[in-house]
Amino acid sequence: QKEVEQDPGPLSVPEGAIVSLNCTYSNSAFQYFMWYRQYSRKGPELLMYTYSSGNKEDGRFTAQVDKSSKYISLFIRDSQPSDSATYLCAMRDSSASKIIFGSGTRLSIRP
Amino acid sequence: EPEVTQTPSHQVTQMGQEVILRCVPISNHLYFYWYRQILGQKVEFLVSFYNNEISEKSEIFDDQFSVERPDGSNFTLKIRSTKLEDSAMYFCASRSGTGNTIYFGEGSWLTVV
């Protein structure tokens, strides 16, 4: 079983729709959870950071962590064509320095 | 806004040649990383560096790879004898001593021919 699983997509939705992106993980020691956005041939750009379980909102983005289910989500409200990118979940445990990435979900927002 | 900067943005090299990729992490950050992404694949961890030494490395980071912080601002990745399968985007990243988020550069695209 992979440490972090993420559906690669592609996911295509119309402009204005609510987008739900998800990751599951197997390591119960993960405490820090991040979502990155990556445009083609560019570096990952940090979108959201959450510590342990709970919700966090930032503008049109909401991150959720459910540690009991080992499941994290990113919701994008009022999606825009400029949101079209690959979204990467990433996570870290408190004893390690590195973060582990999911494989990324390709998202396309249709005008 | 502070950012991680990487050079070169793209390098083409012949198989067997040595390559050095350079990075300037965010000022005052203490943890430094190299990741790589083969085209169409996931972002993979290579190595982390703290307090002037490697703190963690992956199986990918074999004897052909080395890292160095030659001065107070630069962080380099050296590949001693490049192979075709080293062709990838290499990302440098950094993290502050108190923060938990890692910030990435725009990457150096390495093509080995």
Side-chain angles (χ1 to χ4, degrees):
Chain A
Q1 184 184 11
K2 291 181 185 175
E3 268 196 300
V4 182
E5 301 254 20
Q6 186 175 8
D7 187 336
L11 179 62
S12 179
V13 301
E15 183 176 356
I18 296 175
V19 176
S20 171
L21 304 166
N22 312 292
C23 286
T24 59
Y25 61 94
S26 57
N27 186 349
S28 57
F30 285 144
Q31 296 266 15
Y32 307 98
F33 303 93
M34 286 139 278
W35 285 96
Y36 288 84
R37 177 173 63 195
Q38 186 179 30
Y39 294 111
S40 182
R41 303 282 184 114
K42 298 289 187 182
E45 173 194 4
L46 180 67
L47 280 178
M48 301 284 287
Y49 157 72
T50 312
Y51 170 69
S52 195
S53 280
N55 294 357
K56 186 173 183 180
E57 190 173 318
D58 184 0
R60 296 185 295 113
F61 298 91
T62 300
Q64 286 185 353
V65 175
D66 181 349
K67 289 193 69 181
S68 62
S69 303
K70 298 192 183 70
Y71 188 87
I72 70 170
S73 301
L74 177 71
F75 298 95
I76 307 174
R77 288 183 299 283
D78 186 24
S79 54
Q80 306 293 309
S82 58
D83 295 328
S84 298
T86 297
Y87 288 79
L88 311 169
C89 63
M91 43 200 82
R92 180 172 82 86
D93 70 56
S94 56
S95 65
S97 179
K98 68 178 188 281
I99 58 174
I100 304 293
F101 281 93
S103 56
T105 300
R106 262 186 33 220
L107 173 66
S108 175
I109 308 297
R110 306 189 303 271
Chain B
E1 186 176 312
E3 58 181 19
V4 176
T5 56
Q6 291 186 240
T7 54
S9 56
H10 188 194
Q11 182 162 353
V12 181
T13 189
Q14 292 215 321
M15 194 168 52
Q17 294 297 302
E18 176 183 283
V19 159
I20 297 176
L21 305 178
R22 292 183 166 80
C23 169
V24 179
I26 294 173
S27 179
N28 297 325
H29 278 195
L30 300 180
Y31 295 86
F32 313 113
Y33 307 83
W34 284 100
Y35 282 77
R36 81 169 185 192
Q37 185 175 33
I38 294 170
L39 189 63
Q41 297 187 24
K42 66 185 291 186
V43 178
E44 300 175 289
F45 169 75
L46 290 179
V47 65
S48 60
F49 192 87
Y50 171 73
N51 202 24
N52 283 319
E53 60 182 21
I54 290 174
S55 52
E56 200 171 354
K57 61 183 181 178
S58 71
E59 292 174 354
I60 304 167
F61 194 88
D62 61 22
D63 292 344
Q64 292 299 311
F65 292 89
S66 63
V67 289
E68 198 176 43
R69 188 155 163 81
D71 53 44
S73 58
N74 291 285
F75 181 51
T76 62
L77 174 69
K78 182 194 289 187
I79 309 175
R80 227 175 308 279
S81 177
T82 50
K83 304 189 277 282
L84 293 176
E85 54 266 36
D86 293 328
S87 294
M89 184 78 102
Y90 288 81
F91 294 111
C92 176
S94 69
R95 174 167 73 92
S96 73
T98 53
N100 292 300
T101 48
I102 299 177
Y103 297 90
F104 286 78
E106 287 298 309
S108 293
W109 181 248
L110 176 66
T111 302
V112 182
V113 296

